[in-house]
Amino acid sequence: MERIKVSNNFCLDEFIHPHIYSLFNERSRLFIRPELFEIAQVVRNQFGPCEINNWSQGGKENPQDFLNLSGDVRDQFRKESGLRLPDTSTGAKYSMHKYGCAIDLHPLHATPEEIRQFVLDNYDKIFKPLGLKRMETSTPTWVHLDIGNTGIDSLVTFKP
């Protein structure tokens, strides 16, 4: 599978569930909001490597090969930290992930709390212009960020 760059450090497959990617490949871009590419890159620039979905790093040439792995092996990789399948049991029934409006960033060299504080400190200057609307608090290993419409002109924080 040829990986499609969407920013300096991220590829499209990192934002898309493998089943959706297997059906649409590069056209999967139609299902995810491009603002999320920019938001993820800002965090990456500040804190170094972050993962979203890492299923494509499972050593397989294409998403169908990944989907054909045994469940135990497949479950070792993240596939629902970006765009999720509509019928997934992961997360809320109407999660912004299902609409291509959310990502869960898994930092490799920072804590989720450090990233959340950076977002709060730089919301007006950096993240508000990029369309960030909501951030989940208290998640132990990831940072949920979404651009779903809230009707509010400031960042909404919420607990899982």
Side-chain angles (χ1 to χ4, degrees), residues 23-24 26 30 48 58-59 65 82 93 97 111 129 148 159:
L23 295 173
F24 296 97
E26 65 191 52
L30 298 172
D65 288 343
K93 183 176 182 179
H97 286 277
T111 66
K159 291 188 178 189

Side-chain angles (χ1 to χ4, degrees), residues 31 86 110 160:
F31 304 110

Side-chain angles (χ1 to χ4, degrees), residues 7 11 14-15 19-21 29-32 36-37 46 65 68 70 79 110 112-113 120 124 151 159:
S7 72
C11 292
E14 295 176 86
F15 292 84
H19 179 72
I20 296 168
Y21 205 88
R29 181 188 301 262
L30 298 172
F31 304 110
I32 190 90
L36 295 172
F37 307 150
Q46 183 67 28
D65 288 343
N68 290 332
S70 71
K79 58 186 180 296
E113 194 51 45
L120 290 170
D124 287 331
K159 291 188 178 189

Side-chain angles (χ1 to χ4, degrees), residues 5-159:
K5 298 277 278 183
V6 293
S7 72
N8 287 340
N9 298 103
F10 289 99
C11 292
L12 182 61
D13 55 81
E14 295 176 86
F15 292 84
I16 307 293
H17 187 281
H19 179 72
I20 296 168
Y21 205 88
S22 73
L23 295 173
F24 296 97
N25 296 303
E26 65 191 52
R27 293 175 311 169
S28 298
R29 181 188 301 262
L30 298 172
F31 304 110
I32 190 90
R33 296 281 301 272
E35 298 94 316
L36 295 172
F37 307 150
E38 296 177 66
I39 290 168
Q41 188 62 52
V42 167
V43 173
R44 168 67 167 79
N45 290 347
Q46 183 67 28
F47 293 99
C50 297
E51 291 182 341
I52 305 167
N53 287 332
N54 63 0
W55 63 264
S56 68
Q57 286 79 49
K60 297 297 170 188
E61 290 298 314
N62 66 59
Q64 194 58 51
D65 288 343
F66 175 82
L67 293 168
N68 290 332
L69 292 173
S70 71
D72 291 346
V73 173
R74 195 173 53 240
D75 290 346
Q76 296 174 27
F77 296 92
R78 278 189 291 283
K79 58 186 180 296
E80 295 194 312
S81 291
L83 177 65
R84 293 180 183 156
L85 295 172
D87 60 351
T88 185
S89 61
T90 301
K93 183 176 182 179
Y94 297 105
S95 167
M96 287 292 105
H97 286 277
K98 296 178 182 182
Y99 301 97
C101 295
I103 53 173
D104 293 333
L105 286 170
H106 303 263
L108 301 182
H109 301 302
T111 66
E113 194 51 45
E114 289 172 315
I115 293 173
R116 284 190 278 271
Q117 191 59 55
F118 176 73
V119 170
L120 290 170
D121 292 345
N122 293 282
Y123 180 71
D124 287 331
K125 181 180 176 185
I126 299 173
F127 293 98
K128 184 177 180 179
L130 293 176
L132 185 65
K133 298 291 187 179
R134 299 184 336 140
M135 178 173 65
E136 200 169 32
T137 61
S138 305
T139 49
T141 60
W142 72 90
V143 179
H144 171 93
L145 301 170
D146 79 53
I147 60 173
N149 187 15
T150 62
I152 299 172
D153 195 35
S154 61
L155 183 65
V156 174
T157 59
F158 65 100
K159 291 188 178 189

